[in-house]
Amino acid sequence: MNRTTTAAPAVRPYQSYVYAYPHKTAYRPLADRPELRELWAGERRDALSLYLHIPFCEVRCGFCNLFTRIGAPDELTTRYLDALDRQATAVREALGDAEPVRFAAAAFGGGTPTFLTAAELERLCDIAEKRMGADLRSVPLSVETSPSTATADRLAVLADRGATRISIGVQSFVEAEARAAVRPQRRADVEAALDRIRDAGVPILNIDLIYGIDGQTEDSWRTSLDAALGWRPEELYLYPLYVRPLTGLGRLGADGEAADAAWDEQRLRLYRAGRDHLLAHGYEQVSMRMFRRADAPRTNGPDDHACQTDGMIGLGCGARSYTTRLHYSFDYAVEMREVRAIIDGYTATEDFSRAEVGRYVDGDEARRRHLLQSVLQAEGLRIDDYRERFGSSPADDFPAELARFEARGWLDAPAGGTGLLRLSPEGLAHSDALGPELFSPGVRAAMAAYELK
């Protein structure tokens, strides 16, 4: 009798980009609407991150599912900054002065922060410094920009106010690929923007590139990589293209499992080609996405700041804040009409003293978050740090998950002898599959029940 053996199904490498945990689609309106003063009571405040969110862009790229809108009519940016000022005032009052409040890092994101005028960027920096007390000239300050908004006057403000890193979304230097990603731009305009960033003298330039665009080949991918390398950026981020619901590309998704598998194969092939190309040109891999030039200046901030353990203050309607017990934000949407309504509601808000939308984080979720945010970095997780914080080891808490990862060749076995839990090169390549496998059943259920809007 013939017997057939069914192989285990291959793990799809591109499932979800885990940049924060729990994901915002697991957040819900908080029935108790806790006061911020109570939430931050007893929290460490000596190494906080500060994030200011600007939800405006000049265009919306076809792949974008960020919380942002196109344009800002009728002095909307002024009203938004007014609300940001009110929120900052309320948050700083909630933090109190019983213990010193210190910010170890700051970032302006979006959207596109440089959608704001130079004068409005000055005001944004004033909100961070005068309302929140962040010393922008003494901590790392990262700002996102786009080719059309990276103007000399805006960049001069940011450089003067202490920006240490400018990140520009180029995505592709090949104009046909940019159009395929619904991001119309001329290469000459991109290069002019890069010239202006270098002229501004900000220490770190980051260039974002995307692989997996329709029609992209290894040759055209290398064209973009080499064009980026011509600017000797201190950092490069290589992002796989995702086609998400309610985005411009959402209706153009692959047809059927065969097409999905072919796209996965294309993206994985381009990822490996890009990774190897950057490693051969003097870059170090920091995570699946991030590569840093080996001789780049280090302006990552104090050694006592760690994203796994320290709190975050997020200002703006797309920002999230983290305490040890609660992650909170405002409502989230992708569809433009819903985004506009949330922004309008934010600008009309007078009382920012309570958390409105979020998710409570218990001990198990804190363990998952720490593991995720550590192991998805190339340097890995220090097992002693984990044990000191939680009184257990990752192997104690996640035996089944780690056994699966080991069986797939995703773990760097020799690293265990040095007290590290670290991914192998193949594990890093599958970060977008590994990360979601560490989501808790509760978070999975909440994400599945989330109604897209």
Side-chain angles (χ1 to χ4, degrees):
M1 178 172 132
N2 292 330
R3 180 174 298 174
T4 59
T5 301
T6 303
V11 178
R12 295 202 59 196
Y14 298 102
Q15 297 180 28
S16 178
Y17 173 26
V18 184
Y19 58 89
Y21 181 80
H23 192 272
K24 228 177 177 184
T25 54
Y27 290 14
R28 293 295 184 271
L30 298 166
D32 54 345
R33 297 180 64 241
E35 289 190 2
L36 301 187
R37 188 180 299 275
E38 294 177 0
L39 284 177
W40 285 97
E43 294 283 322
R44 283 187 54 187
R45 307 165 205 189
D46 58 342
L48 298 172
S49 291
L50 178 64
Y51 177 77
L52 278 68
H53 181 257
I54 303 300
F56 307 111
C57 289
E58 70 278 12
V59 296
R60 189 164 195 178
C61 304
F63 51 82
C64 178
N65 73 334
L66 298 177
F67 186 88
T68 188
R69 61 161 291 165
I70 300 171
D74 304 323
E75 298 186 340
L76 180 57
T77 54
T78 298
R79 298 199 305 278
Y80 186 83
L81 290 172
D82 289 345
L84 201 68
D85 197 317
R86 292 194 298 274
Q87 185 188 7
T89 300
V91 171
R92 185 61 188 84
E93 289 177 356
L95 291 175
D97 294 313
E99 298 178 8
V101 176
R102 169 177 164 266
F103 292 96
F108 302 159
T112 307
T114 49
F115 180 90
L116 300 178
T117 65
E120 289 171 332
L121 286 171
E122 291 275 18
R123 186 179 179 196
L124 186 69
C125 293
D126 284 344
I127 291 171
E129 291 189 332
K130 297 178 181 179
R131 292 288 184 264
M132 294 304 302
D135 186 352
L136 298 182
R137 291 181 178 86
S138 66
V139 301
L141 170 59
S142 177
V143 184
E144 297 171 7
T145 191
S146 67
S148 63
T149 63
T151 59
D153 59 339
R154 292 176 170 103
L155 294 168
V157 168
L158 296 173
D160 180 65
R161 298 300 293 263
T164 55
R165 179 180 183 269
I166 296 290
S167 178
I168 183 169
V170 172
Q171 319 314 351
S172 178
F173 283 87
V174 179
E175 293 182 10
E177 290 179 3
R179 287 194 300 272
V182 194
R183 185 188 175 88
Q185 63 188 19
R186 296 171 59 245
R187 178 167 174 172
D189 295 334
V190 171
E191 292 178 338
L194 288 165
D195 262 333
R196 292 190 294 269
I197 294 171
R198 281 307 196 196
D199 289 344
V202 175
I204 294 178
L205 164 64
N206 173 71
I207 298 176
D208 289 345
L209 297 176
I210 284 181
Y211 57 92
I213 300 171
D214 188 32
Q216 193 174 45
T217 66
E218 286 192 45
D219 286 342
S220 67
W221 177 226
R222 192 172 297 110
T223 294
S224 282
L225 291 166
D226 286 339
L229 288 172
W231 299 93
R232 299 201 74 239
E234 285 71 26
E235 295 176 3
L236 273 161
Y237 270 71
L238 308 184
Y239 287 97
L241 179 65
Y242 276 94
V243 175
R244 299 178 176 93
L246 304 183
T247 64
L249 289 176
R251 62 183 178 276
L252 303 176
D255 297 324
E257 292 184 7
D260 287 342
W263 192 30
D264 283 346
E265 183 181 338
Q266 179 210 21
R267 286 182 287 181
L268 202 53
R269 183 175 66 252
L270 294 174
Y271 159 78
R272 288 172 172 148
R275 174 197 63 193
D276 295 348
H277 197 62
L278 295 186
L279 294 177
H281 282 77
Y283 284 75
E284 302 168 338
Q285 186 164 19
V286 179
S287 68
M288 172 187 168
R289 287 163 171 76
M290 182 182 175
F291 295 81
R292 180 190 294 125
R293 211 178 72 213
D295 62 346
R298 299 290 198 252
T299 61
N300 295 331
D303 292 336
D304 62 346
H305 174 70
C307 65
Q308 298 95 328
T309 57
D310 292 314
M312 172 180 280
I313 298 291
L315 302 177
C317 57
R320 50 181 114 199
S321 299
Y322 306 143
T323 69
T324 54
R325 295 184 298 115
L326 178 70
H327 293 190
Y328 62 94
S329 183
F330 296 91
D331 202 3
Y332 169 72
V334 175
E335 199 275 325
M336 191 59 66
R337 180 179 54 190
E338 297 283 352
V339 170
R340 286 196 291 260
I342 293 171
I343 294 173
D344 289 344
Y346 175 82
T347 61
T349 299
E350 296 292 335
D351 182 3
F352 287 101
S353 64
R354 295 176 177 271
E356 302 290 343
V357 177
R359 186 172 185 87
Y360 283 97
V361 179
D362 61 16
D364 175 69
E365 298 291 20
R367 287 173 166 82
R368 291 178 185 275
R369 180 172 183 260
H370 189 105
L371 178 60
L372 274 166
Q373 293 196 305
S374 301
V375 80
L376 293 182
Q377 300 296 306
E379 66 182 5
L381 177 149
R382 296 187 180 280
I383 296 173
D384 285 347
D385 290 348
Y386 185 98
R387 184 177 287 110
E388 181 179 352
R389 183 178 181 194
F390 298 112
S392 57
S393 74
D396 296 330
D397 297 334
F398 304 101
E401 293 92 335
L402 294 181
R404 285 200 304 272
F405 301 159
E406 184 176 16
R408 294 170 185 163
W410 289 359
L411 299 183
D412 180 8
T418 63
L420 290 173
L421 177 62
R422 188 167 63 197
L423 299 185
S424 66
E426 196 65 9
L428 278 176
H430 286 79
S431 292
D432 286 6
L434 184 151
E437 290 199 30
L438 289 171
F439 291 3
S440 71
V443 165
R444 289 175 184 272
M447 292 174 66
Y450 177 79
E451 295 185 8
L452 294 172
K453 57 183 178 181

Short mmCIF file of all heavy atoms in Angstrom, two decimals, residues 312-344:
data_model
loop_
_atom_site.label_atom_id
_atom_site.label_comp_id
_atom_site.label_asym_id
_atom_site.label_seq_id
_atom_site.Cartn_x
_atom_site.Cartn_y
_atom_site.Cartn_z
N MET A 312 6.54 55.91 27.39
CA MET A 312 6.48 56.82 26.26
C MET A 312 5.32 57.78 26.44
O MET A 312 4.23 57.37 26.85
CB MET A 312 6.32 56.08 24.93
CG MET A 312 6.06 57.00 23.73
SD MET A 312 5.89 56.14 22.17
CE MET A 312 7.61 55.86 21.78
N ILE A 313 5.56 59.03 26.11
CA ILE A 313 4.52 60.03 26.04
C ILE A 313 4.27 60.34 24.57
O ILE A 313 5.17 60.79 23.86
CB ILE A 313 4.93 61.33 26.77
CG1 ILE A 313 5.16 61.07 28.25
CG2 ILE A 313 3.87 62.41 26.56
CD1 ILE A 313 3.94 60.73 29.04
N GLY A 314 3.07 60.08 24.11
CA GLY A 314 2.69 60.39 22.75
C GLY A 314 1.71 61.54 22.72
O GLY A 314 0.70 61.52 23.44
N LEU A 315 2.00 62.56 21.92
CA LEU A 315 1.12 63.71 21.77
C LEU A 315 0.62 63.76 20.33
O LEU A 315 1.39 63.56 19.39
CB LEU A 315 1.86 65.01 22.10
CG LEU A 315 2.47 65.12 23.50
CD1 LEU A 315 3.22 66.44 23.64
CD2 LEU A 315 1.39 64.99 24.57
N GLY A 316 -0.66 64.04 20.17
CA GLY A 316 -1.27 64.05 18.85
C GLY A 316 -2.25 62.91 18.71
O GLY A 316 -2.17 61.89 19.43
N CYS A 317 -3.20 63.04 17.77
CA CYS A 317 -4.29 62.07 17.74
C CYS A 317 -3.89 60.73 17.15
O CYS A 317 -4.65 59.77 17.24
CB CYS A 317 -5.49 62.64 16.99
SG CYS A 317 -5.15 63.17 15.32
N GLY A 318 -2.70 60.60 16.58
CA GLY A 318 -2.25 59.31 16.10
C GLY A 318 -1.16 58.70 16.95
O GLY A 318 -0.63 57.64 16.62
N ALA A 319 -0.81 59.35 18.06
CA ALA A 319 0.29 58.89 18.91
C ALA A 319 -0.23 57.98 20.02
O ALA A 319 -1.36 58.11 20.47
CB ALA A 319 1.01 60.08 19.52
N ARG A 320 0.61 57.08 20.46
CA ARG A 320 0.26 56.24 21.60
C ARG A 320 1.23 56.49 22.75
O ARG A 320 2.37 56.89 22.53
CB ARG A 320 0.24 54.77 21.21
CG ARG A 320 1.43 54.28 20.48
CD ARG A 320 1.28 52.80 20.13
NE ARG A 320 1.19 52.58 18.72
CZ ARG A 320 0.69 51.48 18.16
NH1 ARG A 320 0.25 50.51 18.93
NH2 ARG A 320 0.64 51.33 16.87
N SER A 321 0.76 56.25 23.96
CA SER A 321 1.56 56.41 25.17
C SER A 321 1.60 55.08 25.91
O SER A 321 0.65 54.29 25.84
CB SER A 321 0.96 57.49 26.08
OG SER A 321 0.92 58.75 25.43
N TYR A 322 2.70 54.84 26.62
CA TYR A 322 2.88 53.58 27.33
C TYR A 322 3.19 53.84 28.81
O TYR A 322 4.13 54.56 29.13
CB TYR A 322 4.07 52.78 26.76
CG TYR A 322 4.04 52.52 25.28
CD1 TYR A 322 5.21 52.53 24.54
CD2 TYR A 322 2.84 52.24 24.62
CE1 TYR A 322 5.20 52.28 23.19
CE2 TYR A 322 2.82 51.99 23.27
CZ TYR A 322 4.01 52.00 22.55
OH TYR A 322 4.01 51.75 21.20
N THR A 323 2.39 53.23 29.67
CA THR A 323 2.79 53.05 31.06
C THR A 323 2.99 51.55 31.26
O THR A 323 2.74 50.75 30.34
CB THR A 323 1.73 53.57 32.05
OG1 THR A 323 0.58 52.72 32.00
CG2 THR A 323 1.32 55.00 31.71
N THR A 324 3.41 51.15 32.43
CA THR A 324 3.61 49.72 32.66
C THR A 324 2.28 48.96 32.66
O THR A 324 2.24 47.76 32.40
CB THR A 324 4.33 49.47 33.99
OG1 THR A 324 3.62 50.13 35.04
CG2 THR A 324 5.75 49.98 33.95
N ARG A 325 1.18 49.66 32.95
CA ARG A 325 -0.12 48.97 33.06
C ARG A 325 -1.03 49.18 31.87
O ARG A 325 -1.91 48.37 31.60
CB ARG A 325 -0.85 49.44 34.32
CG ARG A 325 -0.18 49.09 35.63
CD ARG A 325 -1.01 49.51 36.82
NE ARG A 325 -1.23 50.96 36.87
CZ ARG A 325 -2.40 51.55 36.74
NH1 ARG A 325 -3.48 50.83 36.53
NH2 ARG A 325 -2.51 52.87 36.82
N LEU A 326 -0.86 50.28 31.16
CA LEU A 326 -1.81 50.64 30.11
C LEU A 326 -1.09 51.27 28.92
O LEU A 326 -0.22 52.14 29.10
CB LEU A 326 -2.86 51.62 30.65
CG LEU A 326 -3.90 52.12 29.64
CD1 LEU A 326 -4.86 50.99 29.26
CD2 LEU A 326 -4.68 53.31 30.19
N HIS A 327 -1.44 50.82 27.73
CA HIS A 327 -1.06 51.50 26.49
C HIS A 327 -2.30 52.23 25.99
O HIS A 327 -3.37 51.62 25.88
CB HIS A 327 -0.58 50.49 25.45
CG HIS A 327 0.68 49.81 25.81
ND1 HIS A 327 1.38 49.01 24.93
CD2 HIS A 327 1.41 49.79 26.96
CE1 HIS A 327 2.46 48.54 25.51
NE2 HIS A 327 2.49 48.99 26.75
N TYR A 328 -2.17 53.50 25.68
CA TYR A 328 -3.38 54.25 25.33
C TYR A 328 -3.11 55.24 24.22
O TYR A 328 -1.96 55.63 23.95
CB TYR A 328 -3.95 54.96 26.55
CG TYR A 328 -3.06 55.99 27.19
CD1 TYR A 328 -3.16 57.34 26.84
CD2 TYR A 328 -2.14 55.64 28.17
CE1 TYR A 328 -2.35 58.29 27.43
CE2 TYR A 328 -1.33 56.59 28.77
CZ TYR A 328 -1.44 57.92 28.40
OH TYR A 328 -0.62 58.86 28.99
N SER A 329 -4.18 55.64 23.55
CA SER A 329 -4.08 56.54 22.42
C SER A 329 -5.45 57.17 22.19
O SER A 329 -6.25 57.32 23.12
CB SER A 329 -3.61 55.77 21.18
OG SER A 329 -3.44 56.63 20.08
N PHE A 330 -5.74 57.50 20.92
CA PHE A 330 -7.06 57.94 20.49
C PHE A 330 -7.57 56.92 19.49
O PHE A 330 -6.91 55.92 19.20
CB PHE A 330 -7.00 59.35 19.88
CG PHE A 330 -6.56 60.40 20.86
CD1 PHE A 330 -5.22 60.73 21.00
CD2 PHE A 330 -7.49 61.05 21.66
CE1 PHE A 330 -4.81 61.67 21.91
CE2 PHE A 330 -7.09 62.00 22.59
CZ PHE A 330 -5.75 62.32 22.71
N ASP A 331 -8.74 57.16 18.95
CA ASP A 331 -9.32 56.23 17.99
C ASP A 331 -8.42 56.13 16.76
O ASP A 331 -7.64 57.04 16.46
CB ASP A 331 -10.72 56.69 17.59
CG ASP A 331 -11.56 55.55 17.05
OD1 ASP A 331 -11.07 54.41 17.04
OD2 ASP A 331 -12.71 55.81 16.63
N TYR A 332 -8.52 55.01 16.05
CA TYR A 332 -7.65 54.73 14.91
C TYR A 332 -8.49 54.45 13.68
O TYR A 332 -9.54 53.80 13.76
CB TYR A 332 -6.76 53.52 15.24
CG TYR A 332 -6.00 52.96 14.05
CD1 TYR A 332 -4.92 53.65 13.51
CD2 TYR A 332 -6.37 51.75 13.48
CE1 TYR A 332 -4.22 53.14 12.43
CE2 TYR A 332 -5.67 51.22 12.41
CZ TYR A 332 -4.60 51.92 11.89
OH TYR A 332 -3.91 51.41 10.81
N ALA A 333 -8.05 54.94 12.54
CA ALA A 333 -8.74 54.67 11.28
C ALA A 333 -7.74 54.77 10.14
O ALA A 333 -6.65 55.31 10.28
CB ALA A 333 -9.89 55.66 11.07
N VAL A 334 -8.13 54.24 8.99
CA VAL A 334 -7.34 54.34 7.76
C VAL A 334 -8.13 55.08 6.69
O VAL A 334 -7.60 55.89 5.96
CB VAL A 334 -6.95 52.93 7.26
CG1 VAL A 334 -6.24 53.03 5.90
CG2 VAL A 334 -6.04 52.23 8.27
N GLU A 335 -9.44 54.80 6.59
CA GLU A 335 -10.29 55.42 5.58
C GLU A 335 -10.33 56.93 5.79
O GLU A 335 -10.49 57.41 6.91
CB GLU A 335 -11.70 54.82 5.66
CG GLU A 335 -12.53 55.02 4.42
CD GLU A 335 -13.24 56.36 4.42
OE1 GLU A 335 -13.64 56.80 5.51
OE2 GLU A 335 -13.39 56.96 3.35
N MET A 336 -10.20 57.68 4.70
CA MET A 336 -9.96 59.12 4.81
C MET A 336 -11.07 59.86 5.54
O MET A 336 -10.80 60.76 6.35
CB MET A 336 -9.76 59.71 3.41
CG MET A 336 -9.24 61.14 3.41
SD MET A 336 -7.64 61.32 4.26
CE MET A 336 -6.58 60.39 3.17
N ARG A 337 -12.31 59.51 5.29
CA ARG A 337 -13.40 60.21 5.96
C ARG A 337 -13.33 60.02 7.47
O ARG A 337 -13.55 60.96 8.25
CB ARG A 337 -14.73 59.70 5.41
CG ARG A 337 -15.97 60.35 6.04
CD ARG A 337 -17.22 59.80 5.39
NE ARG A 337 -17.22 58.32 5.46
CZ ARG A 337 -18.08 57.56 4.80
NH1 ARG A 337 -18.99 58.09 4.00
NH2 ARG A 337 -18.04 56.24 4.93
N GLU A 338 -13.03 58.80 7.89
CA GLU A 338 -12.92 58.51 9.32
C GLU A 338 -11.73 59.25 9.94
O GLU A 338 -11.82 59.78 11.05
CB GLU A 338 -12.77 57.00 9.54
CG GLU A 338 -13.95 56.17 9.07
CD GLU A 338 -15.13 56.24 10.04
OE1 GLU A 338 -14.96 56.81 11.14
OE2 GLU A 338 -16.20 55.73 9.69
N VAL A 339 -10.61 59.28 9.23
CA VAL A 339 -9.43 59.99 9.72
C VAL A 339 -9.75 61.47 9.91
O VAL A 339 -9.41 62.07 10.95
CB VAL A 339 -8.25 59.81 8.76
CG1 VAL A 339 -7.09 60.73 9.13
CG2 VAL A 339 -7.78 58.36 8.74
N ARG A 340 -10.40 62.07 8.94
CA ARG A 340 -10.74 63.50 9.05
C ARG A 340 -11.63 63.75 10.26
O ARG A 340 -11.45 64.75 10.97
CB ARG A 340 -11.42 63.97 7.76
CG ARG A 340 -10.47 64.12 6.58
CD ARG A 340 -11.09 64.94 5.48
NE ARG A 340 -12.20 64.24 4.85
CZ ARG A 340 -12.12 63.59 3.69
NH1 ARG A 340 -10.95 63.53 3.05
NH2 ARG A 340 -13.18 63.00 3.17
N ALA A 341 -12.59 62.86 10.50
CA ALA A 341 -13.49 63.04 11.64
C ALA A 341 -12.74 62.96 12.96
O ALA A 341 -13.00 63.75 13.90
CB ALA A 341 -14.61 61.99 11.59
N ILE A 342 -11.79 62.03 13.07
CA ILE A 342 -11.01 61.89 14.31
C ILE A 342 -10.14 63.13 14.53
O ILE A 342 -10.05 63.66 15.65
CB ILE A 342 -10.16 60.61 14.27
CG1 ILE A 342 -11.08 59.38 14.29
CG2 ILE A 342 -9.19 60.57 15.45
CD1 ILE A 342 -10.35 58.07 14.03
N ILE A 343 -9.51 63.61 13.46
CA ILE A 343 -8.69 64.82 13.59
C ILE A 343 -9.55 66.02 14.00
O ILE A 343 -9.17 66.80 14.88
CB ILE A 343 -7.95 65.11 12.27
CG1 ILE A 343 -6.92 64.01 12.00
CG2 ILE A 343 -7.24 66.47 12.33
CD1 ILE A 343 -6.26 64.11 10.64
N ASP A 344 -10.72 66.16 13.39
CA ASP A 344 -11.61 67.27 13.75
C ASP A 344 -12.03 67.17 15.22
O ASP A 344 -12.10 68.19 15.93
CB ASP A 344 -12.85 67.26 12.85
CG ASP A 344 -12.54 67.69 11.42
OD1 ASP A 344 -11.46 68.28 11.20
OD2 ASP A 344 -13.38 67.44 10.53
#
